[in-house]
Amino acid sequence: MKIPVLRLGAILLTSIQVDLTDTEVMQFQADVLSVIAETEGRGLAIDITALEVVDSFMARTINDTASMARLLGAEVVVCGMRPAVALTLVEMGRELIGVETTFNLDDGLARLQRKIAQRGDNALAASGSS
Amino acid sequence: MNVIDRLTLLVYEAYVETRERVIAQQSLSLLELSTPVVLLWDRMVMVPLIGVIDTLRARQITERLLEAIARHEAAVAILDLTGVPVLDTSVAGHLMKTVAAAQMLGARVVMTGISPDGAQTLVKLGVDFSEVTTRATLRAGVAEGLFLLGRRIVVAGGAP
């Protein structure tokens, strides 16, 4: 199951709809990173509304992916975490440290837009190239 | 027999010595060639890093960068890693020292050109680059640097 990475202007949007195996999660990570590098994406929204269960590997991978994406110059927001998932993660001591989370996708995109607007390279897309 | 043995030894020693000298000279000139510090704009310097970074080169890069920052009173330093093939703990450690030193001089450091593989390696190694602004490409890094200087590139009229 390949997770599509959609492009919304400078923001890349991915939505995890089904439970992923560990291999699929790693594949997802590699896919997201290569798309960021290709498109010079400046924001990444990971939507996990559909996920009922997030295991510790998944949580760590999301964390890692966020750090990696940041190294590639993208702001990251994780959107739509379910209350039950949040509770499990906290109880496991596996909070998504350093990753911004928002209640839903709408807030997530708004926050990304705001962060990108404060950056120095936000004029790049407007200059027409790529 | 003994004479021939000695002769062989002599020839071999001469050969090795010449070869060593050539290698030493070349590595010295390689070191000289490999770390230019470019003044991109007023108060903005850029170091394109190419090839493997070892301790010696890392120290030289740091020295040159600091010297250039001081000379040009640079407020922004861009480290471009596009040409670095492997990013491992030691390279990352060297880079962090360079960054810390540049920041101590009051320059803001922007890192560009980290590949997806490089990013994965760095995160898996647990290297913390959160203090540094990173951008995917040199293009974005230059834009960020200009922004930090309060400048921006605009489209001039009359272009085709």
Side-chain angles (χ1 to χ4, degrees):
Chain A
M1 169 79 196
K2 202 169 149 70
I3 309 285
V5 183
L6 313 172
R7 191 170 165 195
L8 282 171
I11 295 178
L12 299 171
L13 168 64
T14 83
S15 176
I16 305 177
Q17 308 273 353
V18 291
D19 292 329
L20 300 175
T21 64
D22 289 1
T23 345
E24 285 169 339
V25 174
M26 298 311 287
Q27 183 62 43
F28 163 70
Q29 183 179 68
D31 286 351
V32 168
L33 293 180
S34 66
V35 173
I36 293 177
E38 268 166 36
T39 62
E40 281 183 41
R42 270 159 276 157
L44 172 67
I46 305 175
D47 174 53
I48 55 169
T49 315
L51 283 189
E52 307 267 359
V53 181
V54 173
D55 61 8
S56 63
F57 183 78
M58 184 79 187
R60 208 190 71 192
T61 313
I62 291 178
N63 239 335
D64 285 356
T65 310
S67 310
M68 292 166 189
R70 223 172 280 127
L71 278 179
L72 295 177
E75 314 284 345
V76 187
V77 165
V78 174
C79 338
M81 192 187 294
R82 301 247 177 156
V85 171
L87 205 63
T88 351
L89 287 180
V90 170
E91 271 169 14
M92 281 195 298
R94 269 252 171 247
E95 291 147 84
L96 295 172
I97 309 151
V99 182
E100 285 212 41
T101 46
T102 56
F103 181 63
N104 55 26
L105 186 58
D106 208 18
D107 290 348
L109 292 181
R111 186 173 301 185
L112 280 177
Q113 300 279 21
R114 210 163 46 238
K115 284 178 121 184
I116 290 172
Q118 288 167 356
R119 286 171 46 151
D121 55 353
N122 61 341
L124 272 185
S127 69
S129 52
S130 86
Chain B
M1 202 61 184
N2 205 0
V3 178
I4 293 179
D5 275 356
R6 283 195 181 178
L7 214 61
T8 320
L9 202 65
L10 212 67
V11 168
Y12 185 70
E13 272 176 0
Y15 168 69
V16 167
E17 198 183 307
T18 323
R19 201 179 57 174
E20 291 295 319
R21 204 165 50 231
V22 169
I23 292 176
Q25 269 172 3
Q26 281 175 345
S27 62
L28 205 70
S29 52
L30 204 63
L31 210 60
E32 288 295 312
L33 283 173
S34 60
T35 38
V37 180
V38 188
L39 182 64
L40 270 190
W41 200 255
D42 301 336
R43 311 195 66 205
M44 176 154 81
V45 294
M46 193 265 275
V47 194
L49 298 179
I50 291 164
V52 180
I53 299 171
D54 52 17
T55 314
L56 197 65
R57 270 200 71 194
R59 201 165 51 216
Q60 196 195 23
I61 290 164
T62 314
E63 276 169 20
R64 295 245 175 124
L65 177 62
L66 293 187
E67 197 230 335
I69 289 174
R71 190 173 57 229
H72 302 300
E73 295 176 18
V76 176
I78 299 177
L79 282 174
D80 182 49
L81 307 183
T82 315
V84 181
V86 265
L87 283 172
D88 55 18
T89 336
S90 77
V91 173
H94 291 316
L95 287 176
M96 281 323 286
K97 278 184 205 154
T98 310
V99 169
Q103 282 173 341
M104 254 182 259
L105 289 187
R108 307 277 287 277
V109 180
V110 180
M111 241 182 227
T112 63
I114 300 177
S115 62
D117 283 345
Q120 273 180 308
T121 325
L122 286 180
V123 171
K124 277 176 194 153
L125 289 172
V127 182
D128 183 24
F129 271 129
S130 58
E131 298 290 302
V132 193
T133 315
T134 52
R135 291 291 176 263
T137 56
L138 183 58
R139 192 171 86 106
V142 170
E144 188 68 37
L146 287 170
F147 176 77
L148 292 173
L149 292 174
R151 290 164 192 276
R152 82 191 315 182
I153 296 174
V154 292
V155 180

